[in-house]
Amino acid sequence: MTDISKGTQLPALELPPISRFTLALYAGASGDHNPIHIDSDFAKKAGMPDVFAHGMLSMAYLGRLLTNWQPQSQLRSFSNKFSAITQLQDVITCSGEVTELFDNEGELCARVAIQAAKADGTLTLVGEAVVAIG
Amino acid sequence: MLDKSKVGHKFMPFDVDVEKGRLKFFAQSIGETNPIYTDEAAARDAGYEGIPALPTFPFSLDMEGPEFLPVIGLLKLDIAKVLHGSQSFNYKGQIYAGDTISVSSSLKDIFDKKGGALEFVVLETSYTNQHGNIVATAEQTLVYRNA
């Protein structure tokens, strides 16, 4: 029997402040070399205050929230909208809550509402995952 | 306005070798320290066939094609005006270190909001391993700022 039910909170994941180093490392590791995340001159020309975090970096943090909670082999789907830009020095916290247990093609699954937020409460990513818990 | 006649376009599929070192570097770059993502023995002990690629790693495979973000060229986008709007993954299997993954993408939709100030480009991608199994599918929406 599982002790997971509607309302179960996932252990929150607080990340260190986003630095230029974080973005350089992620650009190299992910292969996403879009200059808007790496080159301040380019970002400013594009009308941004400075370089800003890859959305997919924050989504990877949400992935960590999920795989810290249940093994990755249980993850069935994972989606989010990028609702606000994550700037340098932002401190992002990922959190999630089970909203429903349901049968997914014969497998007991939890639907999990997930989000990433800045310290001031601004939501940067809002999404959902389906995790098998049977 | 973006050229909607391109909807349905299939990008040239390509194969990517998933290298162990690359997966370890990816884990490091996002602060992931669970040893299953870096140590083969730990991964096998946890029931995996090898070191698994992290959940969002398939997106990184998109970057390994012959052209960086081919939709940029297809739709003549200015990369400075592109934002990532949404992303989803469906998992049907697992990508492991040592796999060769075939990446196949198509342009699913283009639509606009705010009288064309924002245009949305929807891409669909599937990831197939060397055994012919689709291990994941993805959908992403790019937001194009015309203003």
Side-chain angles (χ1 to χ4, degrees):
Chain A
M1 282 298 291
T2 172
D3 56 358
I4 295 167
S5 58
K6 186 177 172 183
T8 296
Q9 302 281 325
L10 278 59
L13 177 68
E14 184 176 327
L15 286 312
I18 299 288
S19 68
R20 293 176 196 277
F21 176 73
T22 316
L23 301 187
L25 201 62
Y26 182 75
S30 69
D32 187 345
H33 302 125
N34 183 337
I36 206 138
H37 305 301
I38 307 169
D39 181 336
S40 294
D41 301 330
F42 184 93
K44 285 171 187 169
K45 260 191 210 163
M48 298 295 175
D50 204 334
V51 294
F52 57 93
H54 304 75
M56 291 305 291
L57 171 62
S58 293
M59 191 173 185
Y61 291 149
L62 278 182
R64 280 180 58 195
L65 172 84
L66 294 167
T67 59
N68 284 351
W69 181 58
Q70 297 293 323
Q72 186 177 333
S73 52
Q74 304 291 96
L75 185 58
R76 298 291 173 263
S77 67
F78 176 20
S79 63
N80 62 234
K81 286 187 174 173
F82 301 99
S83 47
I85 285 176
T86 301
Q87 308 286 1
L88 290 168
Q89 300 310 321
D90 278 343
V91 172
I92 296 300
T93 300
C94 297
S95 59
E97 180 180 330
V98 175
T99 57
E100 182 191 1
L101 298 187
F102 66 106
D103 180 279
N104 181 30
E105 297 171 10
E107 188 175 58
L108 180 61
C109 285
R111 190 182 307 284
V112 186
I114 48 177
Q115 62 179 48
K118 301 187 195 191
D120 69 2
T122 305
L123 296 177
T124 53
L125 279 69
V126 179
E128 182 183 289
V130 172
V131 181
I133 56 170
Chain B
M1 297 292 281
L2 302 179
D3 181 0
K4 289 184 179 163
S5 75
K6 303 288 188 192
V7 170
H9 178 85
K10 290 184 190 315
F11 296 97
M12 185 73 79
F14 56 90
D15 290 350
V16 189
D17 294 328
V18 179
E19 293 162 358
K20 194 187 293 185
R22 175 75 185 281
L23 294 187
K24 289 181 181 182
F25 184 25
F26 187 86
Q28 182 197 358
S29 78
I30 66 163
E32 176 57 68
T33 57
N34 184 331
I36 71 163
Y37 297 111
T38 50
D39 179 65
E40 184 144 353
R44 288 183 188 278
D45 286 349
Y48 296 91
E49 291 171 28
I51 293 175
L54 280 151
T56 62
F57 187 78
F59 184 84
S60 284
L61 298 174
D62 299 1
M63 307 292 149
E64 299 297 317
E67 187 186 351
F68 182 71
L69 299 176
V71 69
I72 300 274
L74 181 75
L75 296 178
K76 300 183 174 61
L77 304 179
D78 172 358
I79 196 172
K81 296 181 176 178
V82 176
L83 289 172
H84 204 160
S86 66
Q87 178 73 40
S88 69
F89 296 101
N90 279 291
Y91 305 101
K92 304 174 188 309
Q94 199 74 59
I95 296 172
Y96 290 111
D99 282 354
T100 299
I101 302 296
S102 176
V103 180
S104 179
S105 295
S106 62
L107 177 53
K108 188 181 177 189
D109 198 12
I110 297 174
F111 59 96
D112 61 86
K113 287 184 184 172
K114 299 186 180 173
L118 294 176
E119 291 190 86
F120 296 80
V121 177
V122 184
L123 300 168
E124 240 177 6
T125 306
S126 69
Y127 306 90
T128 306
N129 69 12
Q130 65 275 23
H131 309 298
N133 300 320
I134 295 181
V135 283
T137 59
E139 186 174 300
Q140 61 172 293
T141 304
L142 303 176
V143 183
Y144 196 60
R145 301 179 295 142
N146 278 313

